[in-house]
Amino acid sequence: MIVPARTSASRPARRGAAPPDLRPSGCRARRWVTLVAALGTAMSLGLPMAAAGGQAGDRAALDEGVAAFWAADSDAGYQDAIDAILAADSDIDEIWSRLRRGRTYRAGVPTGRQILGRRNRDGVEHRYILHVPADYDPAVRYPAHVHLHGGVMRPRQDDGGWWRNEDRVLRDDAIVVIPESWAESLWWQDSQIENLAGILRDVRRTYNVDENRIHLLGVSDGGTGAYYHAFKATTPWASFLPFIAHPVVLANPSSGADGDMHPTNLRNKPLFVVNGGQDRLYPTASVVPYLRLFREAGVFLDFRPQPEAGHDLSWWESEADAIDAFMDNARRQPAPPRVSWETERTDRYNRAHWLVIDELGSAQGEPGLGSFNSIADPASGQPLGISMIGELVDGSGIRVFEIEDGSIASDSGMRDNDTIVEIEGREAPTVEDLKNALIGFAPGDSLALVVERDGVQEAVALVYPPTAAPRTRTAFPQRRPSGRVELSQQRNRVEAYTRGVLRFTLLLSPEQFDFTQPITVEANGTTVFEGMVEPDVPTLLRWAAIDQDRTMLFGAALEIELPAADAP
């Protein structure tokens, strides 16, 4: 918990909720300024000057205050640093530019393998293994890979024994973090959201981590944990990589998962998923319906099924380059132009980047936002019928060794030992191409193929009959009423569509918005705000203390309140 700048109106900030509201009562969706006197002069980042007469204030005192801010490791430390920054009486642009530069990192810090720990607010210690490259250079921003282990129901392990085969994940170009989980603090509980966020803050305090290249990877129970954090706490992460895991664990009431899972929340970050066809716990066939649901909900995922693999990492070396390429391309946007978030409570799990959901309830004019929470029962419906496949050595296509009678494939005219040489116009397809094409294959769909038989090519179409629709069931139980906001931002215009939300806050950054021009917010087809928004120092410092992220700074908070559905 971070204590905001002291004012007569402040009160302790709730974790996961919007910081204290310093505006006059009754102010809704209007610009507001606490310490900033708007002089109408735009500076380098489009931030108006704040100090009287436009003076920069005491720069030496400001430098000391910002240095103390980044060095703080407690609420009291942040509060003292904020007080010092405010006392320096500097322009908001001066403060912004120093916060944007971040900490000054030094050489001579510990490298190699370390076992460290931190305590949650409840006093429970959570340990973690930290690997820092031996040639660590404080001038370089390093990506961070956070690996979540499996077997979380086991007793706590001493000396970092909660992770096996550490060498597999070590890097000379990244900082590697391996936290611990056990039965009293599972990956899919709020204690671990607090813990992982705290670990990232602690590591960034000493080591130069690139905040926009922090990836969450997990194996087995750890992979389920990666899914969970994608559902409930997307903001810190660039991507999620669940390996040999299953989202169904989070749907089982006996698993003890905190909160409800909302599939559209996965839209915010890409996923890289690996499952084994021979996995005795989570076979690929049982996971695919959930992945199909995620695709239908607009989630980007790279699915890498391993037909011959079990509940193991035997495939690791063959997929290592693809994993690296995925993470290299998955860089977080601190203020993405599109945000989708749903939550069932507003004291936690209610934020995604620059959106904070403050109050739930039905509003007037809500559109019918699509609900994505049904999966097909793989045991029902007409079978696809393609089995025993393999890529040709020359890379020209996929050999299908067996076609089941009475299946979609046999109805299309495919036969045993056909070679698929084209999928939806893609020539020389791989097994991966076929698997990915079939993830979204549902009743009423058609998939165009070209097969080669006895040297002759023939176009065929796999048609999923609408009458063969499999039974569906709820993917994730929804135990509490929830609210959802879909945001789209282009320049100074924001479009929001809501369901079950009465009030939300937009956190605005000058790297996203031009504060010298009016900002317009439209909600559910109606303009709810149009005017100038002036950034202010308390908002900047308050959210900088919460996020502790030099790349994600917000200069203004705009609260939007919608009329209730039953209001006159």
Side-chain angles (χ1 to χ4, degrees):
M1 181 173 66
I2 302 301
V3 179
R6 294 188 184 108
T7 73
S8 60
S10 67
R11 58 186 183 275
R14 295 177 298 175
R15 182 177 50 79
D21 190 346
L22 306 184
R23 292 169 291 173
S25 61
C27 179
R28 291 291 184 263
R30 297 201 302 266
R31 63 188 177 91
W32 57 283
V33 182
T34 305
L35 297 183
V36 179
L39 303 182
T41 302
M43 299 188 67
S44 61
L45 288 175
L47 297 172
M49 293 183 178
Q55 299 302 312
D58 188 336
R59 286 189 171 88
L62 176 59
D63 289 339
E64 292 179 2
V66 172
F69 179 91
W70 287 124
D73 60 1
S74 66
D75 289 351
Y78 278 103
Q79 185 64 75
D80 290 343
I82 288 172
D83 288 345
I85 292 171
L86 294 174
D89 195 29
S90 298
D91 298 335
I92 189 172
D93 190 67
E94 293 274 354
I95 299 171
W96 179 283
S97 63
R98 284 163 172 77
L99 291 175
R100 192 68 173 81
R101 287 197 294 268
R103 299 174 175 87
T104 299
Y105 291 98
R106 61 184 180 86
V109 294
T111 59
R113 185 181 193 269
Q114 307 164 58
I115 298 182
L116 305 173
R118 60 169 302 281
R119 293 186 183 277
N120 275 4
R121 291 185 307 276
D122 59 8
V124 176
E125 183 184 21
H126 288 69
R127 297 168 298 176
Y128 61 97
I129 302 168
L130 177 67
H131 282 275
V132 179
D135 59 351
Y136 168 77
D137 181 351
V140 174
R141 294 192 183 192
Y142 286 80
H145 300 173
V146 180
H147 290 265
L148 307 185
H149 66 81
V152 297
M153 295 303 179
R154 299 170 184 166
R156 297 186 75 172
Q157 302 291 310
D158 295 329
D159 301 325
W162 54 86
W163 184 270
R164 302 172 184 174
N165 302 320
E166 286 181 38
D167 291 345
R168 176 182 283 132
V169 301
L170 298 189
R171 313 284 300 237
D172 57 9
D173 61 349
I175 291 172
V176 174
V177 180
I178 306 173
E180 72 166 334
S181 174
W182 66 102
E184 284 74 36
S185 185
L186 302 172
W187 295 130
W188 43 85
Q189 293 177 337
D190 187 61
S191 62
Q192 288 291 352
I193 290 180
E194 177 188 353
N195 178 45
L196 296 190
I199 289 174
L200 294 178
R201 287 194 296 267
D202 289 350
V203 173
R204 292 200 304 255
R205 193 172 292 115
T206 302
Y207 300 96
N208 194 356
V209 172
D210 186 338
E211 294 95 332
N212 298 318
R213 291 192 292 163
I214 303 176
H215 306 277
L216 187 61
L217 308 88
V219 174
S220 190
D221 282 347
T224 300
Y227 280 121
Y228 177 75
H229 287 259
F231 278 121
K232 308 303 286 185
T234 190
T235 304
W237 308 102
S239 70
F240 300 94
L241 296 89
F243 303 143
I244 58 172
H246 203 316
V248 75
V249 175
L250 304 176
N252 188 342
S254 66
S255 70
D258 285 343
D260 295 339
M261 307 304 125
H262 306 290
T264 51
N265 286 359
L266 303 185
R267 291 176 177 174
N268 296 284
K269 303 291 166 60
L271 279 74
F272 187 102
V273 179
V274 180
N275 284 98
Q278 308 304 315
D279 190 331
R280 58 184 175 81
L281 294 177
Y282 309 132
T284 299
S286 72
V287 179
V288 163
Y290 283 84
L291 301 184
R292 182 179 293 121
L293 164 63
F294 298 159
R295 281 270 178 86
E296 291 170 351
V299 178
F300 176 85
L301 60 88
D302 188 343
F303 180 41
R304 300 275 173 158
Q306 308 295 320
E308 303 305 320
H311 195 71
D312 55 49
L313 300 179
S314 58
W315 45 266
W316 185 274
E317 295 302 325
S318 64
E319 295 291 349
D321 289 345
I323 293 171
D324 287 350
F326 174 83
M327 289 191 290
D328 285 344
N329 291 325
R331 301 200 177 203
R332 184 192 70 161
Q333 291 181 279
R338 299 184 70 88
V339 176
S340 174
W341 200 248
E342 184 167 355
T343 184
E344 71 280 5
R345 54 194 301 173
T346 57
D347 59 338
R348 61 181 66 171
Y349 319 134
N350 64 324
R351 180 188 175 196
H353 292 272
W354 53 287
L355 167 67
V356 182
I357 297 177
D358 300 311
E359 184 179 351
L360 303 179
S362 296
Q364 294 179 11
E366 291 181 345
L369 293 180
S371 178
F372 299 91
N373 196 29
S374 296
I375 61 170
D377 183 349
S380 63
Q382 186 176 12
L384 177 64
I386 296 178
S387 59
M388 296 180 64
I389 60 177
E391 294 177 15
L392 297 183
V393 175
D394 62 4
S396 61
I398 307 165
R399 177 62 57 83
V400 181
F401 296 101
E402 182 180 344
I403 297 294
E404 299 176 22
D405 292 337
S407 66
I408 293 173
S410 65
D411 288 351
S412 76
M414 291 185 68
R415 302 176 187 173
D416 294 351
N417 296 313
D418 278 354
T419 298
I420 301 174
V421 295
E422 187 176 308
I423 300 175
E424 292 287 323
R426 183 184 182 90
E427 297 180 351
T430 65
V431 170
E432 208 54 47
D433 293 331
L434 179 60
K435 295 289 187 181
N436 285 331
L438 290 172
I439 287 177
F441 194 51
D445 287 349
S446 177
L447 185 66
L449 308 178
V450 175
V451 301
E452 185 173 291
R453 183 185 311 135
D454 299 327
V456 178
Q457 292 189 358
E458 178 184 348
V460 300
L462 300 180
V463 178
Y464 202 135
T467 57
R471 295 185 299 271
T472 61
R473 59 185 172 87
T474 299
F476 301 97
Q478 305 297 305
R479 292 160 289 197
R480 300 175 62 164
S482 63
R484 176 171 148 207
V485 177
E486 299 280 345
L487 290 182
S488 177
Q489 174 256 335
Q490 187 173 20
R491 298 181 180 174
N492 272 27
R493 182 178 182 83
V494 179
E495 290 186 357
Y497 293 94
T498 70
R499 175 179 51 76
V501 173
L502 286 174
R503 188 162 48 89
F504 59 91
T505 297
L506 304 179
L507 305 175
L508 310 182
S509 164
E511 294 177 328
Q512 181 187 17
F513 293 91
D514 180 358
F515 286 126
T516 68
Q517 300 296 320
I519 292 175
T520 300
V521 180
E522 185 180 279
N524 301 327
T526 301
T527 299
V528 293
F529 174 83
E530 189 169 22
M532 300 297 294
V533 175
E534 294 166 0
D536 67 282
V537 173
T539 297
L540 172 62
L541 295 176
R542 187 183 315 148
W543 284 98
I546 290 171
D547 293 329
Q548 300 175 42
D549 183 334
R550 62 193 157 179
T551 71
M552 190 167 64
L553 300 171
F554 301 105
L558 184 63
E559 184 180 293
I560 303 298
E561 183 169 347
L562 305 178
D566 56 358

